[in-house]
């Protein structure tokens, strides 16, 4: 029987491919998937895979938030800074791909006629 690899042992490409498949599945369930989004989905998956790998590195470091500088002071750990940037980028991409509640609420409902009731009444004047 084949061993099922745990999340931490996946290669970067395998992890990214898994994220792409999951993202496409989620987008199809939400009714927002278009094949033209493939490049954006690929970039989103790349960011999420990087975030996951860096999160493991951060955990392995004992959640080290600060590092010492050559001058004897301290500064934010490069891993923490990168995680913060990736988090912001992932949020921006998830908005564009309509993968979070905020983005979904900003997307026009496809069931309607495209105009509000008020616009329809004003148009009928």
């Amino acid at each position: 029987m084949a061993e099922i690899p745990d999340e931490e042992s996946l290669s970067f490409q395998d992890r990214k491919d898994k994220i792409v498949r999951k993202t496409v599945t989620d987008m199809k369930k939400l009714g927002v998937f278009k094949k033209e989004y493939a490049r954006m989905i690929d970039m989103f998956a790349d960011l999420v895979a990087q975030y996951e790998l860096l999160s493991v590195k951060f955990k392995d470091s004992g959640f080290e938030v600060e590092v010492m500088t050559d001058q004897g002071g301290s500064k934010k750990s490069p891993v923490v800074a990168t995680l913060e940037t990736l988090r912001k980028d992932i949020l921006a991409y998830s908005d564009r791909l309509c993968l979070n509640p905020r983005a979904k609420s900003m997307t026009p409902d496809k069931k309607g006629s495209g105009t509000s009731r008020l616009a329809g009444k004003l148009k009928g004047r």
Side-chain angles (χ1 to χ4, degrees):
M1 183 188 325
E3 288 281 324
I4 299 173
D6 62 348
E7 289 292 316
E8 291 183 17
S9 67
L10 289 175
S11 72
F12 181 81
Q13 191 60 49
D14 289 341
R15 182 181 301 268
K16 183 178 170 182
D17 292 344
K18 183 177 178 181
I19 294 165
V20 166
R21 287 190 303 274
K22 176 74 171 122
T23 302
V24 169
T25 299
D26 291 347
M27 289 178 72
K28 285 180 178 178
K29 284 180 185 176
L30 292 168
V32 294
F33 176 76
K34 292 184 180 181
K35 64 182 180 182
E36 293 83 5
Y37 297 160
R39 183 176 296 141
M40 186 172 279
I41 292 168
D42 187 65
M43 289 185 284
F44 173 76
D46 191 68
L47 293 171
V48 173
Q50 288 177 48
Y51 182 83
E52 288 178 354
L53 290 172
L54 279 174
S55 293
V56 170
K57 185 175 181 178
F58 183 51
K59 178 184 169 191
D60 291 346
S61 76
F63 300 101
E64 186 177 24
V65 177
E66 292 185 337
V67 295
M68 298 304 292
T69 64
D70 293 337
Q71 292 79 25
S74 64
K75 68 175 187 173
K76 189 185 300 184
S77 162
V79 172
V80 171
T82 304
L83 283 170
E84 288 175 353
T85 301
L86 285 170
R87 203 174 292 130
K88 290 175 187 175
D89 291 346
I90 289 168
L91 182 60
Y93 275 87
S94 68
D95 277 351
R96 295 286 186 223
L97 294 171
C98 299
L99 290 170
N100 61 47
R102 178 179 177 267
K104 186 67 176 162
S105 69
M106 294 171 58
T107 306
D109 191 6
K110 293 180 181 177
K111 294 176 187 171
S113 64
T115 60
S116 68
R117 287 190 297 169
L118 176 60
K121 290 188 186 251
L122 292 174
K123 195 175 188 178
R125 283 182 139 179

